[in-house]
Amino acid sequence: MKKTSTRLADGRELVYYDLRDDTVRDAVDHRPLERTVTTSEVRRDPLLGDSIAVASHRQGRTYHPPADQCPLCPSQGERLSEIPDSSYDVVVFENRFPSLAGDSGRCEVVCFTSDHDASFADLSEEQARLVLDAWTDRTSELSHLHSVEQVFCFENRGAEIGVTLGHPHGQIYAYPFTTPRTALMLRSLAAHKDATGGDNLFDAVLAEELAGERVVLESEEWVAFVPYAAHWPYEVHLYPKRRVPDLLGLDEAARTEFPQVYLELLRRFDRIFGEGEPPTPYIAAWHQAPFGQLEEFEGVTRDDFALHLELFTIRRTSGKLKFLAGSESGMNVFINDVPPERAAERLREVASS
C-alpha cells in the first residue's frame, strides 16, 4: 500500500491509498473553494448522560446529485470533484459538511472505489484489503488528535438508510467522547468481570455463539453470527477469533482472511430477499475500544474490549422496511419481527455456490 497525503483547495486533507507503490499523486484541486467554515457543537444531555452534535451547516450539503455530477467520482476534464486526480483506488478526505469538527472531533469520507456504479460487495479481495488498511491507518492517525476519544468507521448503503450520495463510500467519525453504545458495552464488561472474578464478557458471548445455531459463516480467523438478542430483522456480528481492541490489533492472518469473509457476508445480504429485489440497504459499523480514559468503567482496560463489526439491514421482508416507532424511538426497546435463529438459517441458505 502506498499512502499520499495532499490538500484540497479549501485546506481540507485528502489521502490516496494505492495498490501500486509506483503510483504518483500530484493532481491539484483547481476549484475556487473558500475555506470550510463549520458550526459543529457537542452538547451533553444532563438527564441521559449522553452527547449529541449540533451541526446546522449540514443543511446545505450535497443531496442526491445526478451521476455525472457526483462529487466522489474522479475529476475528468472540466468536471472537478472532491478528488482532483482522474482515477484512484481508495481515497479518504475530510468531509466538507462534517457533523464533528475542530475541538468537537473530525469526520472523513472513505471512497472505496472510483467506479460509481459498484458497491463494496463488487470489490476484489485485493481492493477490500486496501480498504481495511485505510480504515486501520485512519484509526491510528485520528487517535493521535488531542480532541479524539473514539474512532468509528462505518458504511451507510442505500437510499432507505438516508444515503445522499450514490457512490460506494463510507465514513469515519472521530468523536471527542466515548459513544453511548460503547459505554453500555464497557459497563456490561465491568459488571461481568466483577461478578465472575475476572472473566471477559466478549469471550463468553463468542464461545456461546460458536457452540450454537446462529453462526452464519466461520473461517480460521473470523466468525459471523446473528446475536441472541438481535435488534434488527437481519443483523450479523463479525468477530476476529482472537480478541483485539481495535483494527490496529489485527495480525496478518486476520487481515489476509478478512476480505473473503466480509465480501461473502455482503453478497449474502444482497441475496436474502431473493432474485429481482433491489440491493439490500444496510449499515456496517466497526466497534473499536475508545482511546480515552476508562476510569469510570472500574476494572476495565482497552484490552478487555473486542473489536467487531455489526452489519444490519432495515428491510424486514420483501418490499417492507423496519421503522423505529414508539417503543424503539421513544424507549429504546426494540421489537424484532424475525427470530434470530431464522435469520441465521436464511443467511446460511443463500451461501455462494
Side-chain angles (χ1 to χ4, degrees):
M1 178 188 78
K2 181 180 180 182
K3 174 184 176 182
T4 307
S5 180
T6 185
R7 292 282 171 180
L8 296 174
D10 56 6
R12 288 175 293 132
E13 184 179 19
L14 180 144
V15 185
Y16 294 99
Y17 293 91
D18 286 293
L19 292 168
R20 291 175 55 95
D21 290 337
D22 60 353
T23 303
V24 177
R25 298 294 185 189
D26 56 6
V28 176
D29 183 7
H30 292 291
R31 295 174 297 170
L33 298 179
E34 296 181 357
R35 185 164 293 274
T36 300
V37 177
T38 64
T39 57
S40 178
E41 176 189 359
V42 172
R43 298 184 181 184
R44 186 169 180 81
D45 187 315
L47 293 179
L48 298 179
D50 58 11
S51 299
I52 64 101
V54 179
S56 59
H57 62 276
R58 285 174 52 79
Q59 287 281 34
R61 65 187 185 275
T62 308
Y63 188 80
H64 292 299
D68 61 358
Q69 296 179 32
C70 175
L72 306 185
C73 288
S75 293
Q76 297 289 341
E78 295 183 356
R79 190 187 65 79
L80 305 179
S81 72
E82 289 280 69
I83 296 91
D85 216 324
S86 59
S87 66
Y88 63 84
D89 292 334
V90 173
V91 69
V92 179
F93 59 89
E94 288 184 74
N95 197 321
R96 190 177 178 188
F97 304 96
S99 301
L100 306 165
D103 291 338
S104 296
R106 175 158 156 156
C107 293
E108 298 183 340
V109 177
V110 184
C111 298
F112 303 139
T113 171
S114 60
D115 184 352
H116 180 85
D117 297 316
S119 69
F120 201 117
D122 296 324
L123 301 182
S124 67
E125 290 185 14
E126 185 181 37
Q127 290 173 306
R129 168 61 190 265
L130 184 60
V131 175
L132 175 64
D133 290 341
W135 282 332
T136 304
D137 180 71
R138 298 316 303 160
T139 296
S140 176
E141 291 289 330
L142 293 171
S143 71
H144 290 99
L145 297 181
H146 77 278
S147 63
V148 172
E149 285 197 14
Q150 187 172 3
V151 179
F152 176 46
C153 306
F154 65 101
E155 179 191 1
N156 298 326
R157 192 248 205 152
E160 301 94 330
I161 296 293
V163 174
T164 57
L165 297 176
H167 196 102
H169 73 287
Q171 300 180 67
I172 302 175
Y173 277 23
Y175 297 102
F177 50 80
T178 297
T179 61
R181 190 173 177 84
T182 302
L184 287 173
M185 294 183 197
L186 292 170
R187 292 189 189 101
S188 296
L189 265 177
H192 184 83
K193 194 171 187 178
D194 180 64
T196 60
D199 288 352
N200 185 279
L201 180 57
F202 281 113
D203 292 350
V205 168
L206 191 57
E208 184 174 347
E209 293 292 355
L210 279 166
E213 59 180 316
R214 290 179 297 275
V215 171
V216 174
L217 60 87
E218 181 181 358
S219 66
E220 288 293 322
E221 302 293 334
W222 296 85
V223 59
F225 58 87
V226 178
Y228 171 73
H231 288 54
W232 299 93
Y234 290 91
E235 174 182 339
V236 176
H237 294 190
L238 177 63
Y239 278 72
K241 289 184 175 178
R242 183 177 69 86
R243 172 165 45 89
V244 295
D246 52 39
L247 289 165
L248 283 73
L250 292 174
D251 61 18
E252 185 57 31
R255 293 181 182 280
T256 298
E257 204 175 75
F258 171 79
Q260 64 191 69
V261 173
Y262 187 49
L263 290 172
E264 170 62 17
L265 198 56
L266 291 179
R267 290 162 186 166
R268 290 191 193 190
F269 255 58
D270 271 343
R271 293 192 291 268
I272 295 173
F273 303 105
E275 296 294 331
E277 286 291 318
T280 301
Y282 66 73
I283 293 175
W286 280 108
H287 291 264
Q288 306 193 78
F291 290 94
Q293 300 299 315
L294 301 180
E295 283 89 349
E296 65 178 290
F297 311 104
E298 188 172 350
V300 171
T301 69
R302 289 194 80 249
D303 290 337
D304 290 321
F305 195 86
L307 166 76
H308 63 283
L309 181 140
E310 297 184 7
L311 173 68
F312 61 89
T313 179
I314 63 171
R315 186 178 293 163
R316 56 188 174 88
T317 189
S318 179
K320 297 179 181 179
L321 301 180
K322 164 67 176 177
F323 292 101
L324 300 189
S327 185
E328 292 90 352
S329 294
M331 296 303 285
N332 201 28
V333 178
F334 276 66
I335 300 169
N336 193 347
D337 301 322
V338 181
E341 293 73 23
R342 174 53 189 152
E345 181 182 21
R346 177 60 182 154
L347 284 162
R348 290 192 296 268
E349 289 173 352
V350 296
S352 297
S353 58

